[in-house]
Amino acid sequence: MRVLFSILSIVLTISSCKNNAHSESDDFAYIGGEIINPIENTIILESKNKTIDTIKLDGRNRFFYKIDNFYPGVYTFRHGSEYQMIMLEPNDSLLFRLNTFDFDESLVYTGRGARQNNFLLNEFLENKKTEQAVRKFRSLSPEQFTSKLDSIKQSQIAQYNKFKKKNDVSDAFENLILQHINYSYYASKETYPFRSDRNQIEQIFKTLPKDFYAYRNDIDYNNAKLKDFIAYKWFLKSNVSNLALNEHMDHCSEDDFKKGRSLCFNLDRLKQIDSLISDKGLKEELLYHYTVKFLSLSDDTEETNTILKNYLAKTENDKGKKMIINFAEAVSKLNAGNSLPNLDIVDYKNNSKDLSDLVNGTTVITFWSNTYYDHFKSSHHKLNRLKLKYPEVTFVSINIDTYNVNKAKRALQSNGFVSGNEYFFKSPKLATEALAIHPMTKTFIINKNKKIVNGNTNIFYGKFEEQLVGLLKR
C-alpha cells in the first residue's frame, strides 16, 4: 500500500502541475520517479550526446523535473553505470520506478507517455533474447537464416501494429520503433559470416545471395538519436567488422581475426569506422572500443604502438587519447614476469589487505560487475566447476563496481555464490585502470612467486585449462 501511495502522490503532483500549465506552450515535458536502493543521489538526463541536467534525488529517493526548451525525441536517463532510453512527446509527464538490484527488469513507467515507453522497454528486453537466438541460426544456410530472421521481424512488426491499434502513437514514435526493428534485423545479418574458421568463412562469402546485404544502401551511419539503442550499436559494430573482414581477407592471409588479435584486421576495422562514420560521438565510441579491445589482447609492443598511432591519428577526442595512452601503459606493465600492482582490496566482512596477499600458490583472478549481470552468473558457475577440478588452485573473484557493496553481496547470495574468495576494491576506478580490466572476461594467472604468468587470458577461452595445467606441471 505504501508503494502504491508513493506512486500515486507523484502522479497527483504532476497532474496538478499540468492543470496549471494550460496557458504555456508545448515546449516542455516532465519526468519524475522513484529509485529503490539508489547507487548515488542523482539522475543524469541526456539527449543528443549532451547532458541536459544532473537531477538530485530527495530524501525519499524521488525526483521531479521539468524539461524547459523541450523538443520531442529520444532522451536517456543514467543512474550509476546503468542507463535506459525513453521517448518524450510534448506535454508528457513520464514517471518511472525501478530497483537498482534489477535495473531493467524492475523498471516500470506510469503517467502520460507511459504506454509508449513500456512498449519501448519491452522491445529492449526482447532484443536480448533475439541476439541469443540468432547465434543458433548462423549454422543454417543463407536462405534458411534469412527466413528465420524474416519471421522474427514480421512478429515484431505484428506486435507493434497490435499496440498501434489500441494506442495513439506519434510519427516520431513509430519511426523509432521501426528503426529499432530494422537495425536489429540488419545487425543479425551482419553477424552471419562470423561463425567459423577462415576457410569456411571464405566459402560463406561466396555462397551469399547477391541481395543478402541489399539493405546497406539505406543505412544511416550517423544517427546520434539512436546512439544508446542496443540494436543500432549492435549493427554498427557488426557492420564495420563485416566490411573490415571482407577487406582483410583480400590482402592478408592471417587466420586470427576471429579472436580480435590480428593487427591487419583491426587496422581495417578502424579504417572502416573512420570512412563511414562522421558523427563525432559515435565515431569516437567505436574507435575507442576496438582500440582498447585490441590493446587488451595484444602482447606485441610493436603492434601495440602501431594500433595506438593509428587511433591517435583518427580521433579528435583529447580525453579519449589520454585514456587510450594510459590504458596502453597499464597493459605494458602487466606482461608475464611482472608483479601485480599494489592495490587495496576488501572482503565482504570489511577486512582489508593488499591484492598480492591473496597469492600463496597458483592463483586465478577474475572480475565481475553488476552492469554485466549475465557474465557475473556465467563466470561464477564456471569458477565453481574449475574449483572442483583444480582444488590446488586459488580462484579469486573481485567486484569492480564503484558503488553499492550491498548490491554485490545480494547478487552473490541470491545466486548461491557464497565463497571466501570474493572481494571488492577500495578504489575501484584506480584498480580498474591499473589492471587494465577490459573486457570484463579478463583473467590473470599468477604463480607461487607472485609473478604474472598470463595477464590477459579468459576462463572461457578454449585453451585456458591448458594454460593452467602447464603452470601446475612446472
Side-chain angles (χ1 to χ4, degrees):
M1 181 66 72
R2 186 190 66 81
V3 170
L4 291 174
F5 179 80
S6 172
I7 295 177
L8 180 60
S9 65
I10 298 176
V11 173
L12 291 175
T13 301
I14 291 181
S15 298
S16 175
C17 289
K18 290 182 64 62
N19 289 335
N20 293 328
H22 289 307
S23 61
E24 298 182 29
S25 63
D26 289 341
D27 60 345
F28 71 92
Y30 293 96
I31 180 172
E34 181 178 10
I35 297 182
I36 310 302
N37 300 309
I39 293 163
E40 51 196 22
N41 67 344
T42 58
I43 290 284
I44 298 175
L45 187 64
E46 300 176 345
S47 186
K48 295 184 177 179
N49 291 324
K50 295 181 180 179
T51 297
I52 295 175
D53 206 348
T54 299
I55 309 164
K56 287 188 176 182
L57 301 179
D58 65 17
R60 293 181 292 178
N61 301 325
R62 302 173 187 170
F63 75 98
F64 182 62
Y65 184 81
K66 179 182 178 182
I67 307 174
D68 290 310
N69 300 317
F70 170 81
Y71 57 88
V74 178
Y75 289 74
T76 302
F77 67 85
R78 298 181 183 273
H79 181 68
S81 60
E82 304 272 13
Y83 73 89
Q84 192 52 263
M85 296 180 63
I86 52 177
M87 178 77 181
L88 292 177
E89 306 277 5
N91 293 317
D92 272 355
S93 51
L94 184 67
L95 309 170
F96 68 79
R97 188 172 187 272
L98 63 83
N99 189 326
T100 61
F101 288 152
D102 202 9
F103 195 94
D104 293 320
E105 285 72 12
S106 69
L107 180 58
V108 62
Y109 297 103
T110 56
R112 181 167 178 171
R115 290 183 179 180
Q116 292 188 159
N117 281 286
N118 281 322
F119 185 85
L120 187 62
L121 175 63
N122 187 62
E123 286 291 296
F124 166 77
L125 296 174
E126 287 297 317
N127 195 69
K128 292 182 179 180
K129 298 177 183 178
T130 299
E131 287 188 52
Q132 294 173 354
V134 167
R135 294 190 186 100
K136 299 177 182 178
F137 298 155
R138 287 189 304 203
S139 60
L140 302 174
S141 69
E143 292 77 14
Q144 292 172 320
F145 180 75
T146 299
S147 177
K148 289 285 188 181
L149 294 188
D150 287 345
S151 178
I152 291 174
K153 183 178 179 180
Q154 291 307 313
S155 176
Q156 291 173 328
I157 291 175
Q159 286 293 324
Y160 171 66
N161 287 334
K162 183 178 179 181
F163 174 82
K164 185 179 176 181
K165 284 182 179 179
K166 296 180 180 179
N167 302 278
D168 291 330
V169 298
S170 66
D171 291 342
F173 180 76
E174 177 162 308
N175 182 55
L176 187 66
I177 292 297
L178 294 180
Q179 285 191 88
H180 181 270
I181 293 172
N182 285 333
Y183 278 112
S184 179
Y185 178 86
Y186 302 157
S188 298
K189 280 216 158 184
E190 295 291 339
T191 65
Y192 182 70
F194 289 86
R195 71 172 196 257
S196 194
D197 63 34
R198 179 185 174 88
N199 292 331
Q200 289 177 307
I201 288 178
E202 285 182 320
Q203 188 60 35
I204 289 169
F205 275 121
K206 292 177 183 177
T207 61
L208 293 180
K210 291 183 178 180
D211 63 348
F212 193 77
Y213 294 122
Y215 58 83
R216 286 178 176 174
N217 296 324
D218 302 318
I219 295 302
D220 179 1
Y221 285 94
N222 298 286
N223 195 331
K225 293 181 179 179
L226 298 179
K227 78 175 185 70
D228 287 323
F229 249 48
I230 299 298
Y232 186 59
K233 280 188 180 178
W234 182 27
F235 165 74
L236 290 178
K237 290 177 180 178
S238 303
N239 177 257
V240 297
S241 295
N242 196 341
L243 295 173
L245 172 59
N246 220 333
E247 183 175 345
H248 172 78
M249 294 176 70
D250 284 342
H251 61 72
C252 194
S253 60
E254 296 178 56
D255 189 31
D256 56 358
F257 61 85
K258 189 175 180 182
K259 300 172 186 174
R261 296 176 184 270
S262 167
L263 174 65
C264 178
F265 172 57
N266 279 279
L267 290 174
D268 287 336
R269 187 151 51 184
L270 296 189
K271 177 183 174 183
Q272 290 294 333
I273 295 169
D274 189 43
S275 63
L276 291 171
I277 302 174
S278 57
D279 179 85
K280 289 185 178 180
L282 288 170
K283 180 177 178 179
E284 169 59 24
E285 182 175 348
L286 290 175
L287 287 173
Y288 184 87
H289 170 79
Y290 284 116
T291 302
V292 167
K293 186 175 181 179
F294 179 81
L295 291 174
S296 69
L297 294 171
S298 177
D299 55 6
D300 186 305
T301 301
E302 185 176 343
E303 290 189 350
T304 294
N305 290 335
T306 299
I307 203 80
L308 189 59
K309 183 178 179 180
N310 194 271
Y311 166 81
L312 294 174
K314 288 180 169 58
T315 184
E316 299 176 4
N317 188 301
D318 290 335
K319 182 180 179 181
K321 290 179 181 179
K322 184 177 179 180
M323 290 171 65
I324 284 287
I325 291 172
N326 289 341
F327 185 84
E329 289 178 350
V331 169
S332 69
K333 296 176 182 177
L334 300 170
N335 291 332
N338 290 348
S339 299
L340 288 168
N342 295 322
L343 295 167
D344 291 329
I345 59 169
V346 182
D347 64 21
Y348 286 87
K349 293 182 179 179
N350 214 32
N351 299 310
S352 180
K353 61 177 69 176
D354 188 83
L355 179 61
S356 62
D357 292 339
L358 300 178
V359 182
N360 295 304
T362 301
T363 303
V364 172
I365 302 175
T366 62
F367 309 94
W368 68 279
S369 167
N370 281 291
T371 303
Y372 303 95
Y373 198 72
D374 289 340
H375 165 261
F376 154 67
K377 290 192 291 187
S378 60
S379 65
H380 275 75
H381 283 302
K382 177 73 171 180
L383 286 172
N384 283 343
R385 293 194 294 271
L386 290 170
K387 288 173 185 176
L388 291 174
K389 196 170 183 179
Y390 303 99
E392 68 272 47
V393 178
T394 299
F395 291 91
V396 174
S397 178
I398 306 177
N399 178 269
I400 69 166
D401 292 328
T402 58
Y403 53 82
N404 209 335
V405 173
N406 288 330
K407 182 176 181 180
K409 288 182 181 179
R410 175 168 171 168
L412 290 167
Q413 292 169 354
S414 63
N415 287 279
F417 302 134
V418 180
S419 164
N421 289 318
E422 294 285 350
Y423 300 88
F424 61 95
F425 290 113
K426 260 193 175 180
S427 302
K429 187 175 184 298
L430 174 66
T432 301
E433 293 173 355
L435 295 173
I437 302 175
H438 183 91
M440 189 56 62
T441 54
K442 180 167 185 168
T443 301
F444 285 88
I445 299 178
I446 315 295
N447 66 20
K448 61 183 179 181
N449 299 317
K450 300 181 184 286
K451 299 296 183 182
I452 298 171
V453 175
N454 192 324
N456 201 16
T457 188
N458 177 350
I459 58 174
F460 297 102
Y461 177 42
K463 295 184 178 180
F464 172 75
E465 291 188 55
E466 182 181 319
Q467 295 172 343
L468 195 56
V469 171
L471 174 59
L472 293 172
K473 288 182 176 179
R474 290 181 191 175

